[in-house]
Amino acid sequence: MNTFRFRLLLGLTVLTTVAVAAFGVFVHLTAADAVRADIDRLVQDRAFMLSKATYAGNPQLQPWMESFLESDKQRLFVQLYGIEGNLIAKSANLADPLPLSEAARRSVETSHAGHTETVTRKDGELVRLATVPVSFYRDGRQQITGFAQCAVLVRDREARLRTLRQWLVIGGVATVAAVWLVALLLLNHWLRTVDAASESAHLIGAQGRLRERLFVPPQDDELARLARTFNELLDRLEAAHTTQQRFLADASHELRTPLTVLRGEIEVALRRERTGEDYREVLQSAREEIERLSKLTENLLALARADAGEGVAAREQVDLSALCQEVARKLAGLSGLAGVTITVSAPTPAVVHGDSVALERVLANLVENALRYSPRGEGVTLTVATESGAAVVRVRDTGPGIPAEHLPHLFERFYRVDKARSREFGGAGLGLSIVEALVTAHGGKVSVASEVGQGTEFCVRLPESGRG
Ligand SMILES: Nc1ncnc2c1ncn2[C@@H]1O[C@H](COP(=O)(O)OP(=O)(O)OP(=O)(O)O)[C@@H](O)[C@H]1O
Ligand SMILES: [Mg+2]
């Protein structure tokens, strides 16, 4: 019962019924008024004609009047009263005369004009009765010599109104029924489309058929827009789903490689008796693979946390200048091994609001890349500055640079420019995607500019603390 169709139809029916009823009442009242005025005018006119056709000096019904009244005998009754209230004449269709009421008499005598009232006939029938004076002028004064009356049955008038009422009820019911029927047909048509859409949406959801799309109705109405919006949502879901699947495949592949190497080396070592030196070598190699694996899982965990909205675990005041010094100090060992020097230029503090561990990870990843991918003898410079409400850290190296076609993909997960070279350092291509995820979580932006043979510059821009 609580369906959209039911509620809409109920609302529409109630509304139409109220509107039609109000209209009907208005029409009936107006018509009743008009009919009443019409009847009154008729009896007044006839009474007036009668008064004029009567000889005023000695009121009496003229013979020709009988025929005039005869023609109308079904509807009109006429009477003539003398000034004493004595009945002079009455039409033949009136069995018992209607009495000349005191009210009519007084009203006519004082106003010298007509009087109209509703009176009850002897047989109980209601009649509308007009009384007008029969008079003549003597010495400039009006002398009333009698009363001319004309009456009509109220029943006649009621019959006309009854017919009108019947038509109003029939018309009203027909209107409500027609509105209801048309609304039902239209609704059924629309709701069929909605039902079909929700059925396909259900199938898509239940069976995970993300490739399928809803049917978009040809007419460009609300339903078509809804279907299009839903399809756009499906497009985005499908894209997200594909990305996730690719990520999973890449992650499994990256995890499998060191495991395969590990297994191969152990199997070869176990094939026959080895010397202590041989075993040490195998174990050392195994340790390298395990380090690669733990770094990879650590990076995957960092990404998963950032995806889950936990990129900023703590909110504290972090001075990026101090953090750069710290990162340079921690990576001094790697810098020494790579033969690449690190220079920090951080003249003033640049304080941001964020998670110091996450921000250290960002800077360390960028510096690590610069150290790794630059040839010996080159240098890495970290510059910290504040620019219009933002704290900016630039990590610049004078290494080989990155070809322009790779730049748009650099922050994608598992993307490496030179796979072989990256793997040499145990890189899986996650470093920069972690950088981007964490910087975005802090409300900042990271960008890259690079020229082959000249070097690369990564720029991290974070909102300065206190300014949003
Ligand atoms: N400073 C740089 N100079 C030259 N190439 C770079 C530089 N930084 C990054 N790259 C290129 O971008 C790729 C992606 O870097 P990213 O840090 O995401 O992955 P990775 O260093 O290969 O692996 P991971 O950081 O997960 O250990 C690298 O493989 C490398 O080819
Ligand atoms: Mg890296």
Side-chain angles (χ1 to χ4, degrees), residues 28 41 72 99 134 215 233 245 289 292 297 373 403 407 430 453:
H28 186 262
R41 205 173 315 116
D72 233 341
V134 177
F215 168 71
L233 175 71
Q245 275 183 330
E289 293 304 325
R292 193 193 292 269
T297 38
Y373 303 115
L407 291 180
L430 288 179

Side-chain angles (χ1 to χ4, degrees), residues 295 369 372-373 397 402 415-417 422 427-432:
K295 189 187 156 196
N369 278 352
R372 271 183 188 170
Y373 303 115
D397 66 61
I402 304 163
Y415 192 83
R416 284 163 294 195
V417 174
S422 262
L430 288 179
L432 287 178

Side-chain angles (χ1 to χ4, degrees), residues 368-439:
E368 224 176 84
N369 278 352
L371 293 176
R372 271 183 188 170
Y373 303 115
S374 295
R376 295 189 83 79
E378 298 290 342
V380 180
T381 322
L382 274 111
T383 330
V384 184
T386 52
E387 293 170 10
S388 54
V392 184
V393 182
R394 293 192 169 84
V395 181
R396 185 173 172 73
D397 66 61
T398 48
I402 304 163
E405 70 267 23
H406 293 289
L407 291 180
H409 305 289
L410 218 55
F411 296 99
E412 285 173 14
R413 294 168 185 198
F414 296 109
Y415 192 83
R416 284 163 294 195
V417 174
D418 181 347
K419 276 207 175 180
R421 202 167 144 63
S422 262
R423 256 195 74 78
E424 224 177 89
F425 306 110
L430 288 179
L432 287 178
S433 42
I434 293 173
V435 167
E436 196 192 32
L438 293 180
V439 170

Side-chain angles (χ1 to χ4, degrees), residues 236-249:
R236 281 198 291 279
L237 274 181
E238 192 192 351
H241 186 244
T242 312
T243 312
Q244 205 181 19
Q245 275 183 330
R246 194 168 344 119
F247 177 71
L248 206 59

